[in-house]
Amino acid sequence: MATVTNICFHGIGEPRREMEPGEASYWVTRDSFLRVLDALVDRPGVRISFDDGNASDVEIGLPALQERGLSATFFVLAGRLEHRGSLASDQMHELVGAGMRIGSHGMHHRTWRAMSAAESRLELVEARDALSETAGRPVTEAALPLGSYDRRLLADLRRQGYHRIYTSDRAQARETAWLQPRFSITAADTVPSVHQTMLSRPGIVRRAERRTARTIKSLR
């Protein structure tokens, strides 16, 4: 069964907005980003994504991808569009025009677990509709904010017709699976750590541990 490795970036360089608690550890320097990206070139079965819709996605991420012949999916927070330090509508058009894919990260950066009906509609439906309108094409994929999910949320996402959902479960994924684990790059990562923890196949015990953890999340 074919597997893929999903690698996720967040902010690159110096943030130009107030960061949320704990967010700083997911911002990487431009040089670190470029070194990791170079390590992903010509790696079969690697999918690249960006979360949160930071302006650095276009200012740094997009030209670096294009120079290396790479593509990515950008999971955008609809509620941050046009805000300082985040993507503007014309930047989303630039991503789409460059052949990049747009996915939803919701309206606000909050967990999607235990939402009311109104909150669920805002995060799962209205945010997607807003991003689809801005991108000029349907948005059919989503990345779970804060990586949190449960059985009820997964059922809601299926009912809303999402074609693929990305998590933060730090494991390889089956190529065609609906639920896709990802590895997030952090400020502490280096090219050797990426090779060791993300690009190398883990041992059977570690794979079993990760599979068990994902099963518990999806059934709770």
Side-chain angles (χ1 to χ4, degrees), residues 104-128 145 152-153 156-157 160 162:
S104 178
H105 207 37
M107 186 67 73
H108 307 296
H109 202 239
R110 54 152 297 170
T111 177
W112 286 354
R113 291 185 66 198
M115 292 189 293
S116 67
E119 291 169 334
S120 179
R121 178 167 182 78
L122 178 68
E123 296 291 339
L124 307 188
V125 179
E126 294 179 19
R128 178 180 60 182
R152 175 186 172 188
L153 173 59
D156 286 345
L157 289 163
Q160 295 302 337
Y162 282 92

Side-chain angles (χ1 to χ4, degrees), residues 3 8 10 17 19 25-26 41 63 88 102 134 152-153 155 169 180 182 201 208 210 219:
T3 61
C8 177
H10 292 75
R17 59 173 175 78
M19 289 200 289
S25 63
Y26 291 95
V41 175
I102 303 297
T134 301
R152 175 186 172 188
L153 173 59
D169 285 330
Q180 293 275 317
R182 292 185 300 173
R201 185 170 174 80
R210 289 173 174 174
L219 294 178

Side-chain angles (χ1 to χ4, degrees), residues 29-51:
T29 67
R30 180 180 182 276
D31 287 345
S32 178
F33 166 70
L34 295 178
R35 285 194 293 268
V36 171
L37 205 61
D38 283 336
L40 302 181
V41 175
D42 297 326
R43 293 285 307 201
V46 170
R47 291 175 178 155
I48 300 170
S49 58
F50 294 75
D51 278 5

Side-chain angles (χ1 to χ4, degrees), residues 44-60:
V46 170
R47 291 175 178 155
I48 300 170
S49 58
F50 294 75
D51 278 5
D52 302 339
N54 292 301
S56 61
D57 290 356
V58 165
E59 296 165 354
I60 302 174

